[in-house]
Amino acid sequence: HTKHNGRNGYHFFQPSMNALAQTQLQLMNDLWQAEARNELRLLYQPKFQAPSGPAIGFEALLRWQHPQRGLLTPDVFLPLAEKTGVIVSIGNWVLNEACRQLSEWRDAGHTDWSMSVNLSAVQFEQPALIDNVVDCLSRHRIPPEMLILEVTETTAMSDPDESVRLLTELTTLGVKASIDDFGTGYSSLLYLKRLPASELKIDRAFVNELRADGEDATIVSAIIALARTLNLRVVAEGVETPEQQTFLTELGCHTLQGYLLGKPLDPHAIANIVKNEPQRLIDPVHASEKSF
Ligand code: C2E
Ligand code: MG
Ligand code: MG
Ligand code: MG
């Protein structure tokens, strides 16, 4: 294992190793130190009440400010973080930092905002997860129902019985659960019904191609009908056009998220909007044409 080798990590490089493998290995070494070196960041993407209501909460999205490579998105390092297990401590950092930020917002009066945090499959399987969630809530004095934990459909369905057990334990605390990237996995309807989730997020891929006459419209409309039958709130992610905004609302989506309404932002940018253009978050009806 190359954990904590720092500079010595270089001795793992073999001349025979291809460039891609070397890059990955270097990235892996750096990743173990990212948290200690204060290189992890969270951006927050707002979730809006459909069709054009206020922000009802934010989703924390992880970034890594790499000293040489700049700001990295999760697709570059998350698979590696999962494979090496470093996601466990990084995920715990995310949970804590997101709760700390929410409590800061709450102190500033935004007590109706919720915080959504993504959990990876590896994290979801950690026995310490429940304790970590309990600790975070009490440390930052967060009402449990203001924390939403997002688990992808694929993660939830990889061991459905265990997911039901874990999500039941989490929701018993009062925390909410959301099934992310829905439509890309293979859900058993029986398990979907048993999962104590309160929210279902339609994957961006379906929203992307959405046209009133298209095939995706049929799928999205079926997903929304299913979710509503199961008493789940429906969130559409990746909303990029006013047409999608209107159509998703007509189909029965409760919540909209996407570049049209709000990109992932750092806390300073959010504070500036609250200060200078509050209508963008509080009443975005007139601002929805331009994204920020
Ligand atoms: P996700 O949870 O499904 O998050 C939505 C992704 O879509 C985010 O990408 C977001 O920036 C992007 N997005 C939002 N609106 C739009 C839009 O209108 N158009 C387009 N093209 N994209 C949009 P991001 O931030 O790169 O995150 C990618 C994935 O990485 C997330 O997908 C989530 O699965 C994972 N992730 C992010 N942060 C964390 C984290 O803290 N922990 C874990 N375990 N996973 C995370
Ligand atoms: Mg998510
Ligand atoms: Mg998603
Ligand atoms: Mg996704």
Side-chain angles (χ1 to χ4, degrees), residues 23-230:
T23 304
Q24 292 291 93
L25 198 50
Q26 181 61 62
L27 211 57
M28 195 166 91
N29 280 324
D30 293 347
L31 194 51
W32 282 103
Q33 325 217 26
E35 185 187 335
R37 290 179 176 169
N38 220 353
E39 294 167 357
L40 300 178
R41 309 277 180 269
L42 288 181
L43 298 183
Y44 300 93
Q45 185 177 34
K47 290 167 65 179
F48 292 93
Q49 189 186 301
S52 39
I56 56 172
F58 290 79
E59 177 178 6
L61 293 165
L62 182 61
R63 298 291 180 268
W64 177 15
Q65 185 67 58
H66 189 280
Q68 281 87 41
R69 293 160 199 254
L71 196 66
L72 302 179
T73 49
D75 55 306
V76 180
F77 62 88
L78 213 57
L80 208 57
E82 293 229 333
K83 209 156 58 187
T84 57
V86 67
I87 187 64
V88 173
S89 65
I90 290 179
N92 212 21
W93 177 87
V94 170
L95 189 63
N96 188 67
E97 176 57 18
C99 287
R100 190 205 58 74
Q101 182 61 65
L102 185 64
S103 97
E104 197 180 304
W105 286 337
R106 292 177 62 78
D107 289 345
H110 304 292
T111 49
D112 52 345
W113 285 353
S114 62
M115 179 63 79
S116 297
V117 173
N118 292 285
L119 295 183
S120 81
V122 179
Q123 240 181 315
F124 193 55
E125 289 155 11
Q126 284 295 307
L129 177 65
I130 308 281
D131 287 344
N132 290 339
V133 170
V134 172
D135 283 353
C136 271
L137 293 173
S138 75
R139 183 177 314 129
H140 301 291
R141 305 174 318 278
I142 308 277
E145 67 275 14
M146 301 317 264
L147 178 65
I148 303 172
L149 298 175
E150 296 192 4
V151 181
T152 68
E153 180 191 16
T154 307
T155 297
M157 290 302 158
S158 79
D159 186 348
D161 284 317
E162 183 62 6
S163 297
V164 170
R165 196 191 65 72
L166 267 167
L167 289 184
T168 302
E169 215 175 322
L170 284 166
T171 52
T172 300
L173 300 173
V175 165
K176 295 194 170 156
S178 174
I179 310 299
D180 203 357
D181 298 350
F182 191 84
T184 59
Y186 300 90
S187 281
S188 146
L189 292 185
L190 210 62
Y191 278 111
L192 195 59
K193 193 177 155 211
R194 283 179 55 206
L195 281 180
S198 54
E199 183 184 274
L200 186 154
K201 296 183 86 168
I202 303 172
D203 193 72
R204 186 146 59 79
F206 299 109
V207 174
N208 214 350
E209 301 279 307
L210 203 58
R211 278 175 297 103
D213 56 343
E215 198 173 280
D216 282 346
T218 315
I219 296 172
V220 169
S221 139
I223 292 176
I224 294 171
L226 173 67
R228 295 188 76 111
T229 305
L230 297 174

